[in-house]
Amino acid sequence: MKQYIVDAFAEELFTGNPAAVLPCKKIPEPELMQNIAIENNYSETAFVVKTGTGTYDLKWFTPSGEIDLCGHATLASAYVVSEFVDPGVKELCFRTLSGELRAARDGNQVTLDFPVGKTRPVPVTEAMLAASDGLAREAYFDGGDLVIVIEDEEALARFVPNDERILRLEGVRDGLGLALTAPSRKYDFVSRYFYPCTYPRAYVMEDPVTGRAHTFMAPVWAKKLEKTRMTARQISRRGGVMTVRLEGDRVFLGGGVQLFMEGEIPFDL
């Protein structure tokens, strides 16, 4: 069977966030999906099954287990499906653990239709100040990813994460992520994103570009900037840019896609 390695939210190759995508005849057994994800050792491996014209089942696995939502691997899956499985399809609907997720392909750009992440202002705690090296000015949390706003994008770029302090944060220690974000001169906002990973050991990994985190940051910045259409950049080592459009309880995340590799694995799934 085919496997594709794709850089998502990438303006050029070797930027953005890489994901493996495997189009399958049926969803494989969980143990096999887990083993393939471990073998790939990417943050996410996606398994896609066509169920009808423009409709697909989609599952995401990290090296440590299945997850319920992943933006960049959905973007990568939409590209692979519209390029190799159903060439030319423009509108795609994925059935996932987070419900139906829709994507649209326009040239080399893919736009995702995701539910808005719930956020509410919360007090900045001593733990948040410690985890952000004293940079935290505002905080937002409502059971999803923790969003901490700081004042300066250059300070955010220089920030050196302390894994132990980040893992002490509410939410993050429960398997969710931490988004540090700041206003930007070139973009509407920039961010960095950290989340706990339990494979091969417990530590906090910085994610290159994260669609999920932007579902939580979008309502925060929409209110602060008084606009619903924004451009964001995740200023990780690889870096990546996405368009963000807020419409009611949905957020539309758009980005470029770059195909790195097309290969085969010795299974007929």
Side-chain angles (χ1 to χ4, degrees):
M1 65 179 301
K2 292 287 188 179
Q3 174 170 271
Y4 303 87
I5 309 299
V6 177
D7 290 340
F9 296 116
E11 296 179 297
E12 57 186 29
L13 201 58
F14 308 124
T15 67
N17 202 346
V21 180
L22 290 87
C24 307
K25 297 175 183 177
K26 63 179 182 179
I27 292 294
E29 291 297 320
E31 183 179 0
L32 179 57
M33 289 191 285
Q34 187 63 76
N35 284 334
I36 292 173
I38 291 171
E39 189 77 10
N40 283 333
N41 204 33
Y42 285 105
S43 59
E44 273 81 23
T45 295
F47 300 86
V48 188
V49 173
K50 180 178 179 178
T51 57
T53 303
T55 61
Y56 316 88
D57 287 340
L58 175 61
K59 285 188 171 291
W60 310 280
F61 275 74
T62 74
S64 59
E66 185 175 8
I67 58 173
D68 61 1
L69 183 63
C70 179
H72 83 277
T74 305
L75 199 84
S77 297
Y79 170 82
V80 168
V81 167
S82 60
E83 191 75 16
F84 302 105
V85 178
D86 281 335
V89 67
K90 300 296 184 183
E91 304 289 335
L92 306 96
C93 180
F94 296 104
R95 188 171 62 181
T96 77
L97 290 179
S98 291
E100 288 190 352
L101 301 177
R102 297 185 178 273
R105 171 96 184 261
D106 182 11
N108 206 41
Q109 296 284 311
V110 175
T111 299
L112 304 176
D113 176 357
F114 273 15
V116 172
K118 294 181 179 180
T119 58
R120 60 180 175 85
V122 295
V124 173
T125 65
E126 290 299 323
M128 293 178 192
L129 285 169
S132 65
D133 200 22
L135 297 173
R137 295 297 178 267
E138 301 171 25
Y140 299 82
F141 181 70
D142 195 11
D145 288 344
L146 172 63
V147 177
I148 290 179
V149 178
I150 69 176
E151 294 178 343
D152 181 62
E153 65 179 312
E154 294 181 359
L156 178 58
R158 293 193 301 267
F159 171 72
V160 178
N162 182 298
D163 299 354
E164 183 178 345
R165 292 176 181 174
I166 290 175
L167 282 169
R168 290 175 184 168
L169 293 170
E170 180 183 2
V172 176
R173 63 172 177 261
D174 301 320
L176 301 172
L178 167 66
L180 295 181
T181 182
S184 172
R185 288 179 292 275
K186 183 176 180 180
Y187 306 93
D188 288 297
F189 64 93
V190 294
S191 65
R192 292 174 67 184
Y193 182 73
F194 308 91
Y195 68 99
C197 179
T198 57
Y199 178 87
R201 62 187 181 85
Y203 68 104
V204 172
M205 176 188 295
E206 180 168 2
D207 204 40
V209 190
T210 317
R212 171 193 166 96
H214 286 77
T215 70
F216 294 96
M217 290 186 285
V220 172
W221 285 109
K223 185 174 182 179
K224 292 175 71 68
L225 300 175
E226 297 183 337
K227 60 197 303 187
T228 57
R229 293 175 179 266
M230 297 166 281
T231 303
R233 180 174 179 83
Q234 199 156 323
I235 52 174
S236 64
R237 182 175 179 180
R238 289 176 64 100
V241 175
M242 71 178 70
T243 59
V244 180
R245 186 174 84 251
L246 197 65
E247 292 186 8
D249 62 352
R250 309 297 296 182
V251 59
F252 296 83
L253 307 174
V257 184
Q258 306 290 332
L259 178 65
F260 171 62
M261 181 185 296
E262 175 183 351
E264 295 182 352
I265 62 175
F267 297 103
D268 183 20
L269 303 177

